[in-house]
Amino acid sequence: MRKMLAAVSRVLSGVSQKPASRVLVASRNFANDATFEIKKCDLHRLEEGPPVTTVLTREDGLKYYRTMQTVRRMELKADQLYKQKIIRGFCHLCDGQEACCVGLEAGINPTDHLITAYRAHGFTFTRGLSVREILAELTGRRGGCAKGKGGSMHMYAKNFYGGNGIVGAQVPLGAGIALACKYNGKDEVCLTLYGDGAANQGQIFEAYNMAALWKLPCIFICENNRYGMGTSVERAAASTDYYKRGDFIPGLRVDGMDILCVREATRFAAAYCRSGKGPILMELQTYRYHGHSMSDPGVSYRTREEIQEVRSKSDPIMLLKDRMVNSNLASVEELKEIDVEVRKEIEDAAQFATADPEPPLEELGYHIYCSDPPFEVRGANQWIKFKSIS
Amino acid sequence: MAAVAGLVRRPLEQVSGLLLRRRFHRTAPAALQVTVREAINQGMDEELERDEKVFLLGEEVAQYDGAYKVSRGLWKKYGDKRIIDTPISEMGFAGIAVGAAMAGLRPICEFMTFNFSMQAIDQVINSAAKTYYMSGGLQSVPIVFRGPNGASAGVAAQHSQCFAAWYGHCPGLKVVSPWSSEDAKGLIKSAIRDNNPVVVLENELMYGVPFELPAEAQSKDFLIPIGKAKIERQGTHITIVSHSRPVGHCLEAATVLSKEGIECEVINMRTIRPMDIETIEASVMKTNHLITVEGGWPQFGVGAEICARIMEGPAFNFLDAPAVRVTGADVPMPYAKILEDNSVPQVKDIIFAIKKTLNI
């Protein structure tokens, strides 16, 4: 039911009234597609890499633009809500890294699987949940995708396994999902993401070993945004060539600010895994504009100049926009319209997320066990009991 | 003869059920002597056969037939896909097992002993136990973690810890602790069929111990419900609650005391979490005396929890004496035999505690 409502609302928000400028736009001739050069990936234990050119259709371009812009504005709205204390606790934002979540999704099928750590809002959206249910989960309301039980770091969707709070723990989980893919024999792959900080966790190397040994269809993806919380990569890793850290696992280093580069690399990696050759590793070089989380201003360990430089030279949304406009795939006005629509969608979602009530206290004990008959859960003292249903 | 003895031990309803079922057996149901090891093996074998999503992974489970031979024959029967030898990477393979469960398979993750599960405990608690709750009921984790728990013989401190209290502490987990072959078979099968993360705390010293497996436990659909204790021996003077190997010691103590006219009611918990406190309460309300017996350390242990709950419930007013705990000694397990023997509850310690409680 909830999925249906989400789908319906998406359709309705897509079908908006066409303003006068649309008529002008519709009469203009856009190119159907354009070919772009993309950066060559650094390779580890691979003879060949992804192609260095790719074709972008107008339709895909508009879709990627809208999606990235939605993630961007959703994250900025979360920032706002956090500062208003409507969102509490941990809030790790991914603005700046939009090309990663959108580009990865563009390279796989909805039937593939994805798992990441706590900087997960973008992936939660690209894997199919609505901005509404994401923001409402952040604000801890009953309309949240986890009914307010999880918060920022614990959002789940079909074939999306969160949202994981313990740094690095999601990597063996992802290898396990890949094991299930192989076990089921359906040619599905699992994208298993972790950051440059997590890359030094021992359990990741255990996962590399088993994935390679058993040829699991697992794409290990290091989202390298240069800082693990406040520690730069140079201060944390003896080797910052994260794409080589899989040793016996082939790897690629990808420009994570260029959505087309990410898409092509993902397609390449997915094809590699699906062919039964085993795991592969992708390092996405990307950047986060915000600090590690909302409690980190993000300027004590890096300069404002650095942040500004990335914004002006490498912003993923800007890069896509420039490409599309310069190749006549879209007009500036058209993209501005999308911006307006996105802002409205986010605003509506934020309204909902702020107005929706908190989960009822009676549900405090729900969902301890799956498939079990109801039982009682103890509260703060022996007289306080909560009913627990599955 | 053994069959009749088996029948006599069972409560009346079950006896009549067995008698009724007897009509449909071509041969009289043999009371089968089955070791705990064989029982776990059978339970896993039956569940592997029943559901192709079930698989076993762990160190030495496949080609070695299991470090303690519990998985003997399974690799030969089911092959590499379903019985998987892992490298020595507890955190990694426990995480892999949890991920596979999230994606819809039904893994049995063996820890060679639960001491090594400490390396992986984050995956058990944070990735498995809490996920159904955190996801608001969207993501289940149908996994079994099993292996020997607690003291063995002469394996010293790092290989002798009991984890019943540690795992029993956590909401979202189920924790079972079989004693007999019947327990082991019924509980492992229930654990595998359960859609929740279940920790099965076996006992290495019990693996080789034979028990009579009653007829109904020989059925492929024999299950023991998780969350229900069993009264192994009826009594009137004192309630003794225990789990795992110490249940046997309690029954021995009861036999000795019976000659002195003291009739002990011995309860085999079978499940640590969710704890069947009702069975314990009902018994205490009958006997007015309670002791708990466990192999683990005293502080914050299983017995401590039972005592706290008894105080909170209706049975408190029926106690004629404070509840008493018999536990492992509050030390890391020493190696020398005399020290080790005195670091675990012995029959004499149980008898002493019973007599103290009864003021005898």
Side-chain angles (χ1 to χ4, degrees):
Chain A
M1 182 65 188
R2 187 150 50 83
K3 273 198 181 131
M4 194 180 81
L5 282 173
V8 168
S9 85
R10 256 201 294 275
V11 166
L12 287 175
S13 58
V15 176
S16 47
Q17 294 289 58
K18 293 194 197 296
S21 59
R22 271 256 163 170
V23 174
L24 271 172
V25 159
S27 69
R28 186 173 142 178
N29 282 330
F30 289 111
N32 266 337
D33 56 55
T35 305
F36 296 104
E37 273 174 20
I38 52 179
K39 207 156 122 193
K40 186 175 189 304
C41 294
D42 294 320
L43 303 177
H44 170 69
R45 289 190 191 268
L46 283 167
E47 291 301 316
E48 282 167 0
V52 292
T53 62
T54 181
V55 173
L56 175 66
T57 66
R58 174 176 145 78
E59 188 186 341
D60 280 345
L62 290 172
K63 185 175 77 176
Y64 302 156
Y65 182 85
R66 178 185 290 272
T67 311
M68 286 202 287
Q69 193 67 279
T70 305
V71 172
R72 172 69 57 92
R73 299 240 65 92
M74 177 178 74
E75 296 292 80
L76 294 179
K77 177 57 71 177
D79 167 288
Q80 202 179 56
L81 291 171
Y82 193 91
K83 285 170 176 153
Q84 294 172 287
K85 297 194 197 292
I86 301 173
I87 295 177
R88 303 158 49 240
F90 288 134
C91 191
H92 307 86
L93 301 177
C94 69
D95 49 312
Q97 300 184 202
E98 294 84 357
C100 294
C101 55
V102 182
L104 285 170
E105 190 65 35
I108 55 170
N109 305 322
T111 45
D112 290 319
H113 307 260
L114 194 149
I115 188 171
T116 186
Y118 48 76
R119 201 175 301 284
H121 309 157
F123 292 103
T124 314
F125 179 71
T126 52
R127 282 263 98 188
L129 293 193
S130 67
V131 179
R132 244 166 102 96
E133 19 182 15
I134 295 172
L135 287 183
E137 186 58 36
L138 292 178
T139 56
R141 307 303 166 95
R142 61 181 69 183
C145 53
K147 306 192 176 78
K149 298 292 259 306
S152 169
M153 300 185 289
H154 307 296
M155 303 196 207
Y156 298 81
K158 188 172 193 318
N159 297 340
F160 175 60
Y161 305 82
N164 289 276
I166 306 295
V167 171
Q170 76 278 11
V171 177
L173 294 181
I177 296 162
L179 186 144
C181 290
K182 182 171 178 178
Y183 195 102
N184 291 328
K186 286 196 248 165
D187 277 342
E188 293 164 3
V189 298
C190 182
L191 274 56
T192 301
L193 284 98
Y194 54 96
D196 47 276
N200 300 313
Q201 270 267 315
Q203 56 185 317
I204 292 184
F205 294 88
E206 293 186 13
Y208 287 160
N209 181 40
M210 285 183 273
L213 204 54
W214 301 332
K215 293 200 162 22
L216 303 181
C218 186
I219 307 177
F220 293 103
I221 301 170
C222 178
E223 251 182 316
N224 177 4
N225 60 21
R226 309 195 207 169
Y227 300 93
M229 206 154 137
T231 305
S232 68
V233 294
E234 298 77 37
R235 290 205 305 127
S239 163
T240 55
D241 290 332
Y242 295 101
Y243 71 113
K244 292 186 185 169
R245 297 280 292 274
D247 188 6
F248 35 77
I249 297 181
L252 330 161
R253 182 157 55 191
V254 180
D255 179 357
M257 303 305 269
D258 176 357
I259 191 194
L260 298 180
C261 208
V262 175
R263 181 183 74 173
E264 286 315 305
T266 308
R267 284 176 174 165
F268 176 88
Y272 180 96
C273 280
R274 278 188 237 279
S275 71
K277 295 199 191 86
I280 190 169
L281 209 163
M282 269 169 53
E283 176 188 341
L284 303 179
Q285 292 189 302
T286 184
Y287 198 85
R288 52 167 164 81
Y289 296 143
H290 267 85
H292 163 72
S293 71
M294 286 303 299
S295 29
D296 169 26
V299 288
S300 62
Y301 47 86
R302 53 185 193 171
T303 62
R304 288 180 207 274
E305 287 72 38
E306 178 188 285
I307 306 172
Q308 197 36 47
E309 172 151 20
V310 176
R311 254 194 220 280
S312 54
K313 298 212 178 103
S314 314
D315 184 283
I317 300 176
M318 177 195 77
L319 288 179
L320 178 64
K321 175 177 170 183
D322 289 348
R323 270 183 165 147
M324 289 186 68
V325 167
N326 294 341
S327 315
N328 198 29
L329 286 175
S331 73
V332 170
E333 295 78 30
E334 183 176 25
L335 297 180
K336 275 212 173 79
E337 253 179 57
I338 293 179
D339 292 350
V340 167
E341 285 165 12
V342 167
R343 261 182 228 265
K344 176 149 195 342
E345 182 186 348
I346 305 301
E347 211 37 67
D348 287 348
Q351 270 296 325
F352 172 73
T354 312
D356 199 38
E358 286 190 291
L361 191 55
E362 297 77 63
E363 290 185 13
L364 187 149
Y366 285 12
H367 308 123
I368 295 285
Y369 293 135
C370 177
S371 319
D372 268 19
F375 65 101
E376 270 184 351
V377 158
R378 184 193 165 103
N381 63 44
Q382 71 203 61
W383 298 280
I384 300 174
K385 299 251 188 257
F386 293 99
K387 186 170 175 195
S388 184
I389 62 168
S390 293
Chain B
M1 188 56 215
V4 174
L7 283 173
V8 165
R9 254 217 293 276
R10 311 200 72 67
L12 195 55
E13 324 68 273
Q14 294 192 29
V15 169
S16 53
L18 272 172
L19 284 171
L20 284 168
R21 270 194 285 279
R22 280 188 79 126
R23 288 207 291 274
F24 301 102
H25 288 274
R26 284 218 207 92
T27 54
L32 217 45
Q33 283 278 322
V34 165
T35 62
V36 172
R37 170 185 290 114
E38 288 162 350
I40 301 169
N41 185 287
Q42 276 176 32
M44 288 199 288
D45 191 352
E46 287 171 9
E47 296 305 303
L48 281 158
E49 196 174 273
R50 177 181 176 270
D51 184 350
E52 61 179 21
K53 295 211 238 25
V54 176
F55 71 99
L56 171 67
L57 88 171
E59 294 154 11
E60 310 298 353
V61 297
Q63 297 187 21
Y64 196 85
D65 272 338
Y68 301 98
K69 307 299 180 211
V70 178
S71 53
R72 181 188 278 129
L74 297 180
W75 175 66
K76 199 160 168 203
K77 183 171 174 185
Y78 295 102
D80 286 330
K81 179 179 175 184
R82 316 248 343 253
I83 313 291
I84 304 175
D85 275 336
T86 66
I88 307 174
S89 310
E90 275 77 6
M91 199 167 185
F93 72 69
I96 282 177
V98 175
M102 288 178 171
L105 297 184
R106 304 189 73 91
I108 307 168
C109 176
E110 177 178 301
F111 291 119
M112 196 182 281
T113 76
F114 266 95
N115 301 286
F116 315 137
S117 76
M118 267 202 286
Q119 311 234 287
I121 200 163
D122 175 69
Q123 296 290 5
V124 178
I125 307 303
N126 280 320
S127 301
K130 297 178 184 173
T131 294
Y132 192 66
Y133 187 86
M134 291 191 300
S135 67
L138 287 179
Q139 178 65 68
S140 65
V141 186
I143 188 169
V144 173
F145 297 102
R146 54 160 289 274
N149 173 61
S152 180
V155 294
Q158 293 179 342
H159 290 75
S160 304
Q161 188 169 331
C162 174
F163 288 84
W166 283 36
Y167 288 120
H169 190 54
C170 301
L173 272 189
K174 295 189 182 181
V175 182
V176 299
S177 181
W179 165 60
S180 64
S181 298
E182 182 187 345
D183 288 354
K185 185 164 182 196
L187 288 173
I188 191 74
K189 285 167 73 75
S190 290
I192 293 168
R193 295 192 196 189
D194 201 304
N195 286 333
N196 295 287
V198 184
V199 170
V200 182
L201 301 171
E202 300 161 6
N203 186 294
E204 198 246 313
L205 296 173
M206 294 303 294
Y207 281 152
V209 177
F211 288 83
E212 256 166 43
L213 205 63
E216 81 226 12
Q218 295 169 41
S219 151
K220 285 194 174 166
D221 283 311
F222 171 67
L223 300 172
I224 286 180
I226 294 179
K228 202 82 192 70
K230 182 186 176 199
I231 300 177
E232 295 286 349
R233 183 190 194 281
Q234 303 256 10
T236 47
H237 297 119
I238 186 167
T239 300
I240 314 180
V241 184
S242 187
H243 72 97
S244 189
R245 184 160 178 263
V247 172
H249 300 324
C250 293
L251 288 168
E252 269 183 65
T255 304
V256 170
L257 289 169
S258 183
K259 302 194 183 89
E260 298 177 39
I262 301 168
E263 293 305 323
C264 302
E265 180 144 291
V266 177
I267 299 179
N268 171 7
M269 291 175 73
R270 287 180 158 178
T271 299
I272 304 293
R273 183 177 187 114
M275 190 188 291
D276 181 3
I277 196 67
E278 288 82 19
T279 297
I280 302 173
E281 279 173 337
S283 176
V284 171
M285 283 158 79
K286 183 174 78 170
T287 67
N288 310 121
H289 297 86
L290 172 65
I291 73 162
T292 69
V293 183
E294 68 198 283
W297 292 319
Q299 296 198 37
F300 312 96
V302 174
E305 176 66 16
I306 294 172
C307 291
R309 289 216 213 176
I310 287 294
M311 279 205 286
E312 290 174 355
F316 174 72
N317 290 313
F318 289 77
L319 282 173
D320 287 345
V324 157
R325 299 172 294 161
V326 178
T327 68
D330 203 8
V331 294
M333 185 67 71
Y335 167 66
K337 188 159 197 323
I338 183 174
L339 300 180
E340 184 182 60
D341 286 347
N342 284 281
S343 298
V344 295
Q346 301 173 67
V347 178
K348 67 166 174 68
D349 304 318
I350 300 171
I351 291 173
F352 186 90
I354 291 171
K355 288 187 165 171
K356 269 282 199 191
T357 308
L358 292 172
N359 211 19
I360 294 169

